[in-house]
Amino acid sequence: MPETATRLSVVERFLRYVTYDTQSDENSKTCPSTAKQLVLLDLLVAELKALGLTDASRDENGYVMGTIPATTRKKNVPVIGFLAHVDTSPEQSGAGVKPIVHKGWRGQDIVLPDDPKAVLKLAENSELKEQIGNDIITASGTTLLGADNKAGVAEVVAAAEFLMAHPEIPHGTVKVGFTPDEEIGRGADKFDVKKFGAFCAYTLDGQTRGMLEIETFSADSMTVTFQGFNTHPGLAKDTMINSIKVAADFIHRLPKDRLSPETTSGREGFFHPYVLNASVDRTSVKFIVRDFVTAGLAEKEAMLEQLARETVAAWAGATVTFKVEESYRNMKEVLDRHPQVVEHAREAIRRAGLEPREHAIRGGTDGSRLSFMGLPTPNLFAGEQNIHSRLEWVSAQDMEKSVEVIVNLCRVWEERA
Ligand SMILES: [Zn+2]
């Protein structure tokens, strides 16, 4: 396949962006969590301005926004937006990334030169089956690549470049945005929905070509606290109640073959103890609770409560209290109220010659938070694969397809207004 101008642009941008170390840090209290993210964010402002997005700017929290002016004569075309995050995962080094383009890949093992034990194999990566003949981009073996989410960043900028160069394509006002700190769950925290001014947006942060993600988990956290009674151990007979033992009994009663992250997949929910604060007097167990429907969360929380009450009934004098906090909700609840947001995305994917692959995310996204902040935001594929890993990869052809989908979406929203 000959290289198109769009593919050259998106690949060139991607190869450049990944050399910036933009790792976020969950232990930092600042926003963005690391100052190094600002270096890339500022570069993006300059690049958007160079493309003609004259209002492009970064705010004090690191959020970049810019506007592609409308080309249509229609007055009623909704403003839509495209978003990507610049930070990379704290789980793997993103410093000194050396991207390698494996042109016209023929299916052979890809040995990463800086660690010969890091080998990307067709047999172990089902997604690679669709990539024979394509240009596969990897890191060199000692770092992640950063395709999550610099593939998305490069795609949004390349789409902006394409639209600015083709004013004959009718579209409404299009907003672009780049955000920090997605990987530490704070990407939506300081996002100014009002200033962004769009009716809906799309994050470009999905994996496989054609993918459209419109569902996320609904999530709560639940703390179960057991109150015992502490005394001097030498004088404890008939008075001490050891809450550590009560909590251990409770944890022992949790189902072993179901309702846990390690025994569920697809659309099944779970509860998951992940922190224990223990002392003889008082022990609390923290859970995350997940399901795709909010009613499913309540069922699981009721079950935990029931098990905890049965436990304290077996330990004379022990008591238990519960605290449930909402974390986030399935964005489908919002998207169902705006069916055209999803319908137009399906159409844009089909026009790029792909079949939409819809899939429910067993987690949350910035988009799920933004959807409940008033900006309905499903997630589109960016092509990033094996994310947070030294074997991360993306293909040039998938990035090009993603740019095509962004441009198609702008057209579809205009046509159907
Ligand atoms: Zn991501």
Side-chain angles (χ1 to χ4, degrees):
M1 258 191 292
E3 263 164 336
T4 63
T6 299
R7 194 190 307 164
L8 284 168
S9 160
V10 74
V11 169
E12 182 273 326
R13 290 177 191 286
F14 175 72
L15 296 176
R16 198 148 40 80
Y17 299 158
V18 298
T19 63
Y20 289 79
D21 175 9
T22 52
Q23 192 177 50
S24 49
D25 175 8
E26 57 221 324
N27 298 315
S28 160
K29 300 250 183 301
T30 59
C31 182
S33 64
T34 51
K36 55 193 178 184
Q37 294 179 66
L38 295 173
V39 180
L40 179 55
L41 288 159
D42 285 338
L43 175 83
L44 290 168
V45 171
E47 291 196 4
L48 292 177
K49 283 195 164 146
L51 294 176
L53 283 70
T54 50
D55 69 339
S57 65
R58 166 174 77 71
D59 69 19
E60 70 278 13
N61 297 310
Y63 292 75
V64 170
M65 295 180 183
T67 308
I68 303 169
T71 54
T72 180
R73 290 213 188 103
K74 290 186 184 172
K75 293 275 174 257
N76 58 338
V77 182
V79 177
I80 63 170
F82 296 95
L83 299 171
H85 66 89
V86 298
D87 65 314
T88 61
S89 170
E91 292 165 41
Q92 188 72 248
S93 171
V97 172
K98 289 183 271 174
I100 303 169
V101 183
H102 310 268
K103 277 212 147 199
W105 178 67
R106 290 277 147 229
Q108 74 280 18
D109 287 359
I110 298 176
V111 182
L112 303 185
D114 291 344
D115 177 5
K117 287 201 289 285
V119 184
L120 190 61
K121 293 179 181 162
L122 180 58
E124 292 166 4
N125 290 269
S126 57
E127 306 283 347
L128 277 172
K129 288 196 189 90
E130 300 179 20
Q131 301 288 346
I132 306 282
N134 286 351
D135 306 333
I136 305 293
I137 307 173
T138 65
S140 63
T142 52
T143 65
L144 51 64
L145 174 62
D148 175 11
N149 183 217
K150 286 161 184 160
V153 175
E155 288 153 6
V156 172
V157 180
E161 179 181 21
F162 185 87
L163 288 169
M164 294 302 288
H166 293 275
E168 74 281 7
I169 296 174
H171 61 79
T173 301
V174 176
K175 294 282 186 172
V176 301
F178 301 107
T179 59
D181 291 340
E182 189 269 354
E183 299 289 357
I184 55 171
R186 296 186 211 156
D189 281 12
K190 305 228 158 133
F191 188 92
D192 190 338
V193 171
K194 200 158 163 248
K195 181 181 164 205
F196 195 57
F199 166 71
C200 70
Y202 300 87
T203 47
L204 277 294
D205 198 14
Q207 300 179 29
T208 308
R209 197 179 347 161
M211 198 170 266
L212 168 62
E213 294 171 315
I214 58 173
E215 277 207 75
T216 56
F217 269 148
S218 281
D220 281 349
S221 65
M222 180 167 181
T223 308
V224 181
T225 303
F226 296 96
Q227 186 66 52
F229 191 76
N230 192 25
T231 60
H232 187 289
L235 308 167
K237 188 161 191 303
D238 297 330
T239 51
M240 180 188 279
I241 304 164
N242 188 337
S243 75
I244 296 176
K245 294 182 180 174
V246 182
D249 184 8
F250 165 65
I251 290 166
H252 185 71
R253 291 169 193 248
L254 299 178
K256 292 169 186 61
D257 55 350
R258 63 202 168 95
L259 292 171
S260 65
E262 62 272 29
T263 58
T264 52
S265 62
R267 297 190 59 86
E268 299 167 307
F270 58 75
F271 43 72
H272 174 52
Y274 71 104
V275 171
L276 194 69
N277 288 310
S279 70
V280 173
D281 189 58
R282 190 182 169 89
T283 297
S284 63
V285 190
K286 282 191 180 183
F287 286 86
I288 60 168
V289 185
R290 299 288 186 265
D291 203 285
F292 285 97
V293 290
T294 306
L297 292 178
E299 258 168 47
K300 288 175 184 62
E301 287 151 9
M303 182 169 172
L304 286 175
E305 188 170 333
Q306 170 74 17
L307 286 171
R309 291 202 189 284
E310 284 169 21
T311 307
V312 290
W315 291 82
T319 57
V320 62
T321 53
F322 307 94
K323 189 169 98 185
V324 174
E325 281 170 300
E326 178 176 323
S327 305
Y328 56 85
R329 289 290 174 262
N330 187 344
M331 66 174 156
K332 192 165 186 293
E333 291 178 17
V334 175
L335 296 177
D336 280 347
R337 300 201 289 271
H338 307 287
Q340 70 279 34
V341 175
V342 172
E343 208 27 72
H344 294 359
R346 289 187 185 120
E347 176 63 16
I349 291 168
R350 282 191 210 104
R351 285 190 195 182
L354 304 171
E355 211 24 66
R357 306 188 208 203
E358 291 178 32
H359 151 101
I361 308 173
R362 291 177 64 80
T365 65
D366 277 354
S368 52
R369 300 261 312 284
L370 291 170
S371 293
F372 285 91
M373 287 160 68
L375 184 67
T377 307
N379 189 35
L380 288 167
F381 72 97
E384 56 205 45
Q385 301 284 357
N386 290 347
I387 57 173
H388 304 190
S389 151
R390 292 187 291 134
L391 295 178
E392 191 180 6
W393 61 273
V394 64
S395 81
Q397 283 76 4
D398 282 4
M399 287 199 286
E400 185 182 17
K401 275 290 167 198
S402 167
V403 176
E404 205 180 319
V405 170
I406 295 172
V407 172
N408 290 346
L409 256 169
C410 298
R411 288 177 185 262
V412 173
W413 276 95
E414 194 273 345
E415 282 171 27
R416 302 205 170 159

